[in-house]
Amino acid sequence: MVYLFHSAVSVLGEIVVNEVNFVRKCIATDTSQYDLWGKLVCTNFKISFITDDPMPLQKFHYKNLLLGEHDVPLTCIEQIVTVNDTKRKQKVLGPNQKLKFNPTELIIYCKDFRIVRFRFDEAGPESAKKVCLAIAHYSQPTDLQLLFAFEYVGEIYHNPAKKVNGIDPGGGGGGLGSASGQQTPLFETYSDWDREIKRTGASEWRVCSICMPINMVLCLWSWNHPNGSALVRMANIKDVLQQRRIDQRICNAITRSHPLRSDVYKSDLDKCLPNIQEIQAAHIKLKQLCVNEPFEETEEKWLSSLENTHWLEYIRSFLKHSAELVYMMECKHVSVILQEEEGRDLSCLAASLIQVMLDPYFRTIVGFQSLIQKEWVMAGYQFLDRCNHLKRSDKESPLFLMFLDCVWQLLEQYPAAFEFSEMYLTILYDSARISLFGTFLFNCPHQRVKESTEFAISKNIQLGDEKGLKFPCVWDWSLQFTSRDRLLFHNPLYIGKSAPCVQNGAVKTFKRSKKNYSSTLRGVPPALKNGIISEQEFLPRRNSLILKLKPDFLQQTESQSNSMEQYFRDWFAKPIDLHGIILPHISGTQIKLWKLCYFRWVPEAQINHGGFITAFHKVSLLADEVDMLNRNLRQYKSNSSLQGNCSELDQSRMYFRATSLNDTSGAPDFLSSSFPFSPVGNLCRRSILGTPLSKFLSGAKIWLSTETLANED
């Protein structure tokens, strides 16, 4: 084993375990003229392809400081297939398996929908076999402590002076180049929880410690509405009688915490939402649809195949149910309990969506990151099992991706209400596949402490008063990206407002204001005229938010259903308050496929000089011009020379910058619908021009059913 040298991007603690020279990386399926020659390296962190050849056909790609241009993290690998053309054999490699033939080709199927291919025509056959076996072994570890994060943290503790990019492990990290410089609360301390309780005005709730693993916690407070309604998560227990007694005690306590002593609404998520197995099955079908080879076999039925995956249907289910619970808290003034068998799968997603809809703080970058820390990481979402880091497929399910997809749907509909961009959401999803960050590595905080303490003892690491090792936090974005590239996280359409906070002991909470409405940048249905949505366009009954309200504490009546329907009708009929509540449009044509996330590696799916990035570029220039004018105005008012404050004039919160006021320069040549990613060398398909997919990429509607189609003009 040797340490990596300057020829490849390396991380502290990363070692080479095997390598092979004279390897050809395939760039296209129908020709080898663009292929690259180089060295294929397997480390304990990633697979790397090191080449001196320039990447063909590629005009731009963003750079990750942890990964090279051709690198794939080991935890991002889903399947490894070796092929021998001469013997017409192929084998899916598992850990500790033997390979009885010398491979001529290696195909890496990745969890982010990439397919990477390498040819060994000129490489030594034994060397090629060894590197394939090494990749299979290190990408499918049998123990949590074999993941790279432990090796990295061990090096940090033994060599405190060695820090990647100067970053300490375990920090909250603002890391976005924002003017506020806010740190993301990790909710690992009393103070973070106490600040959140004060921020939301939950005066009747207190922070307490628990001495049991998170999977044994029965009740967890999530958030408080300004009207006093609480959002609470609760797990079930097998003993029915004991469950009833516990339910009664918890409901009584929640009722007493409400200023109006309002009733409690219980939502049984296991009964009204798709389960984790159904979501996993939908994800597998979606992946097969997006990367299927050969494409010609499915292109004519592509849109119906998309519907048959049920992915968009499940997205709609979560958005619809979350919006119904928003109604209960906002309009009925009742507290809501999200009940689930273990209380840390579906409830993570539902609780987070409800808060994104209700609280504008969670639509800022720092607020959104704190939401993930609070509702996913500290609430015990099983990232280790659900992301399948240890290849235990029976527990895998992409709930976190579905949550990000649901948030993207809201971002798409209300772009001015979110501080972050869809690039940020996509990169956040990718970061869950990098085994350096403790954020997405464990099933619960208790597991992190237990496993890291055992590892520290085995490596003679002195912990002192620390509870377990501190791992790098994903919110330290400077560990992955330069300050320049991190500007892509910012949404130029966002209309900002100072975040709610606690100052001098006084709580500043959000309130839905009737002033400063902005409807110019909101996503609106085509039938919006004079602020009124036409009857036929308003939430079709079949896909409506107004479906089967089942409160446990009241018998459903027609008047209650009408009340909910009227609430949504009234809300959609008036201009949006970007700093108040937002509700999803969920009719068939308004739930869309997240193209940047799922199509970014498909060359034929790229729209050169097209896609949302063209609007993103133009608005960025306009926003930068406004910032430039504001800086000049401040400069003028301060009566100081321009030369004396050049650093401020050089600052910009936009990735795309105006060269001067009234900048009329065109879009850069490298812009495409896949920006900032590049499909070159990651996935290759034959032409799809004139197919349903190409029409869909150009903006055609997806017909989810014949009934929906019949209702369209």
Side-chain angles (χ1 to χ4, degrees):
M1 295 184 181
V2 295
Y3 283 88
L4 283 179
F5 295 102
H6 67 277
S7 57
V9 176
S10 62
V11 181
L12 186 65
E14 185 176 10
I15 54 176
V16 172
V17 295
N18 218 301
E19 60 183 44
V20 58
N21 289 302
F22 308 112
V23 176
R24 181 158 52 93
K25 182 179 180 180
C26 302
I27 301 299
T29 55
D30 53 353
T31 179
S32 61
Q33 72 176 95
Y34 301 119
D35 291 356
L36 303 177
W37 289 90
K39 177 195 294 186
L40 181 61
V41 179
C42 174
T43 80
N44 58 341
F45 175 48
K46 62 179 183 283
I47 59 170
S48 290
F49 181 73
I50 304 169
T51 179
D52 292 328
D53 296 340
M55 179 66 95
L57 308 174
Q58 181 170 308
K59 298 178 180 178
F60 174 86
H61 71 94
Y62 82 107
K63 294 180 176 61
N64 190 308
L65 301 177
L66 297 175
L67 302 167
E69 189 172 12
H70 305 281
D71 294 355
V72 178
L74 293 177
T75 41
C76 189
I77 296 175
E78 184 167 46
Q79 193 175 74
I80 302 161
V81 178
T82 51
V83 180
N84 184 294
D85 295 333
T86 306
K87 296 183 178 181
R88 295 183 178 181
K89 290 185 177 181
Q90 66 177 27
K91 181 179 179 64
V92 177
L93 276 183
N96 302 318
Q97 286 188 343
K98 293 183 179 180
L99 189 58
K100 296 182 179 180
F101 59 83
N102 293 324
T104 57
E105 184 175 13
L106 172 66
I107 308 173
I108 305 291
Y109 292 88
C110 304
K111 294 177 181 178
D112 61 2
F113 290 27
R114 280 184 291 170
I115 299 177
V116 187
R117 300 169 185 249
F118 300 99
R119 296 285 305 180
F120 301 123
D121 301 293
E122 304 297 328
E126 283 300 318
S127 297
K129 179 189 292 186
K130 287 180 180 179
V131 81
C132 291
L133 292 172
I135 293 172
H137 177 75
Y138 279 88
S139 66
Q140 302 173 80
T142 56
D143 187 81
L144 173 58
Q145 294 180 24
L146 295 176
L147 292 175
F148 176 71
F150 284 87
E151 187 71 34
Y152 170 81
V153 172
E155 288 290 326
I156 287 288
Y157 276 86
H158 282 302
N159 303 279
K162 293 183 178 181
K163 299 170 187 173
V164 179
N165 300 333
I167 299 297
D168 281 308
L176 291 177
S178 61
S180 64
Q182 288 181 279
Q183 293 285 307
T184 298
L186 300 182
F187 291 94
E188 295 175 348
T189 62
Y190 284 109
S191 57
D192 284 346
W193 284 100
D194 190 56
R195 275 190 293 269
E196 181 66 4
I197 284 175
K198 290 179 179 178
R199 186 188 72 83
T200 59
S203 58
E204 298 296 321
W205 292 82
R206 298 290 182 270
V207 183
C208 64
S209 61
I210 56 174
C211 55
M212 62 183 72
I214 192 70
N215 61 338
M216 296 177 64
V217 178
L218 296 177
C219 184
L220 182 66
W221 174 87
S222 288
W223 185 79
N224 248 57
H225 194 284
N227 64 26
S229 302
L231 179 64
V232 178
R233 296 165 55 176
M234 190 165 73
N236 291 325
I237 57 177
K238 294 181 179 180
D239 189 319
V240 177
L241 293 178
Q242 188 179 0
Q243 178 72 56
R244 289 177 181 174
R245 289 194 295 269
I246 292 174
D247 285 357
Q248 190 62 48
R249 291 179 59 187
I250 290 174
C251 289
N252 289 341
I254 294 173
T255 297
R256 289 194 301 270
S257 74
H258 198 291
L260 301 178
R261 300 298 189 264
S262 296
D263 289 310
V264 175
Y265 175 88
K266 284 176 59 180
S267 173
D268 190 338
L269 301 183
D270 292 319
K271 293 181 179 178
C272 58
L273 290 172
N275 60 43
I276 61 172
Q277 292 81 14
E278 291 170 331
I279 294 171
Q280 171 67 359
H283 182 250
I284 291 173
K285 291 178 182 178
L286 178 67
K287 183 180 294 187
Q288 291 172 341
L289 180 64
C290 291
V291 303
N292 187 52
E293 286 189 284
F295 187 82
E296 287 80 0
E297 293 180 2
T298 61
E299 61 183 15
E300 293 181 359
K301 300 179 180 179
W302 197 89
L303 294 177
S304 60
S305 298
L306 176 60
E307 179 184 356
N308 291 335
T309 66
H310 301 296
W311 183 259
L312 298 184
E313 174 189 333
Y314 295 159
I315 294 287
R316 179 180 296 103
S317 296
F318 277 101
L319 288 170
K320 180 178 75 69
H321 190 68
S322 299
E324 291 172 348
L325 298 179
V326 165
Y327 162 79
M328 298 304 298
M329 297 184 72
E330 168 74 6
C331 192
K332 291 298 183 181
H333 295 191
V334 298
S335 295
V336 169
I337 292 179
L338 303 176
Q339 196 157 19
E340 184 187 8
E341 182 176 355
E342 288 193 7
R344 53 194 194 128
D345 275 311
L346 304 178
S347 60
C348 294
L349 206 165
S352 299
L353 274 184
I354 290 168
Q355 291 171 75
V356 168
M357 293 178 191
L358 280 168
D359 193 339
Y361 171 62
F362 295 125
R363 302 196 287 268
T364 67
I365 292 174
V366 171
F368 187 71
Q369 294 176 172
S370 73
L371 179 69
I372 293 173
Q373 278 291 139
K374 177 166 66 80
E375 299 297 337
W376 295 79
V377 180
M378 296 307 296
Y381 177 70
Q382 301 172 78
F383 280 105
L384 179 67
D385 292 339
R386 300 297 180 247
C387 294
N388 205 14
H389 292 322
L390 298 182
K391 302 298 185 293
R392 296 169 182 169
S393 57
D394 59 319
K395 296 184 178 181
E396 185 176 7
S397 188
L399 263 75
F400 187 62
L401 172 61
M402 179 154 283
F403 165 63
L404 297 179
D405 200 326
C406 288
V407 173
W408 177 82
Q409 303 289 339
L410 294 170
L411 170 62
E412 178 78 2
Q413 294 175 15
Y414 304 104
F418 290 83
E419 184 183 16
F420 47 83
S421 65
E422 71 168 322
M423 279 85 85
Y424 167 82
L425 292 175
T426 309
I427 290 170
L428 178 56
Y429 165 60
D430 290 343
S431 299
R433 306 294 185 186
I434 299 177
S435 61
L436 177 65
F437 306 111
T439 314
F440 302 131
L441 210 59
F442 302 97
N443 283 336
C444 63
H446 176 77
Q447 185 186 48
R448 178 187 66 82
V449 173
K450 178 179 178 293
E451 292 285 343
S452 64
T453 300
E454 291 177 359
F455 180 81
I457 293 172
S458 69
K459 298 296 182 180
N460 296 318
I461 297 173
Q462 301 299 318
L463 290 176
D465 295 332
E466 295 180 14
K467 292 184 178 180
L469 298 172
K470 289 185 177 180
F471 292 83
C473 179
V474 73
W475 315 128
D476 287 324
W477 290 110
S478 57
L479 190 58
Q480 292 193 71
F481 303 102
T482 64
S483 57
R484 165 82 169 142
D485 283 348
R486 294 198 300 272
L487 294 177
L488 282 172
F489 293 1
H490 291 276
N491 174 15
L493 293 167
Y494 177 62
I495 298 179
K497 185 179 181 181
S498 57
C501 60
V502 179
Q503 292 181 349
N504 300 324
V507 181
K508 293 186 176 182
T509 56
F510 77 92
K511 293 182 180 179
R512 181 160 182 158
S513 169
K514 293 187 178 180
K515 298 179 180 179
N516 300 323
Y517 283 126
S518 173
S519 60
T520 56
L521 294 175
R522 68 179 291 199
V524 295
L528 182 63
K529 297 178 180 179
N530 300 321
I532 304 297
I533 299 181
S534 63
E535 192 69 27
Q536 63 269 29
E537 190 69 18
F538 169 74
L539 296 176
R541 294 289 297 185
R542 177 173 177 176
N543 295 317
S544 176
L545 289 169
I546 301 78
L547 289 177
K548 294 184 180 179
L549 176 62
K550 297 180 179 178
D552 293 346
F553 61 91
L554 287 173
Q555 183 179 2
Q556 180 176 345
T557 64
E558 187 65 29
S559 62
Q560 292 164 5
S561 180
N562 290 340
S563 175
M564 178 181 280
E565 181 169 353
Q566 189 60 47
Y567 169 76
F568 290 123
R569 188 180 300 277
D570 291 344
W571 191 92
F572 282 113
K574 62 186 178 183
I576 179 70
D577 176 7
L578 296 172
H579 305 291
I581 295 173
I582 60 172
L583 295 174
H585 298 278
I586 60 168
S587 63
T589 59
Q590 290 166 325
I591 299 298
K592 304 176 181 178
L593 189 68
W594 188 4
K595 300 173 192 174
L596 179 65
C597 186
Y598 306 129
F599 282 159
R600 52 186 160 150
W601 311 121
V602 184
E604 296 86 352
Q606 274 197 110
I607 305 173
N608 292 323
H609 305 292
F612 178 76
I613 191 61
T614 54
F616 184 96
H617 169 260
K618 196 65 179 176
V619 175
S620 295
L621 296 184
L622 292 173
D624 195 48
E625 286 190 33
V626 172
D627 288 347
M628 197 183 304
L629 286 169
N630 285 330
R631 291 194 295 268
N632 289 341
L633 183 59
R634 287 196 299 272
Q635 188 76 37
Y636 175 77
K637 289 182 177 180
S638 65
N639 294 321
S640 58
S641 64
L642 288 174
Q643 291 81 4
N645 205 12
C646 286
S647 60
E648 182 187 356
L649 293 177
D650 290 339
Q651 290 178 355
S652 175
R653 60 188 178 92
M654 294 294 117
Y655 182 84
F656 298 108
R657 303 177 183 180
T659 56
S660 61
L661 295 178
N662 300 315
D663 188 351
T664 58
S665 57
D669 288 340
F670 56 73
L671 287 189
S672 76
S673 56
S674 294
F675 180 88
F677 308 97
S678 173
V680 175
N682 288 314
L683 197 67
C684 301
R685 293 290 179 269
R686 298 179 184 177
S687 175
I688 58 169
L689 295 177
T691 67
L693 177 59
S694 67
K695 296 175 184 177
F696 165 65
L697 291 170
S698 301
K701 294 181 178 179
I702 304 176
W703 309 120
L704 291 173
S705 66
T706 54
E707 178 181 338
T708 306
L709 180 59
N711 291 333
E712 295 289 336
D713 293 331

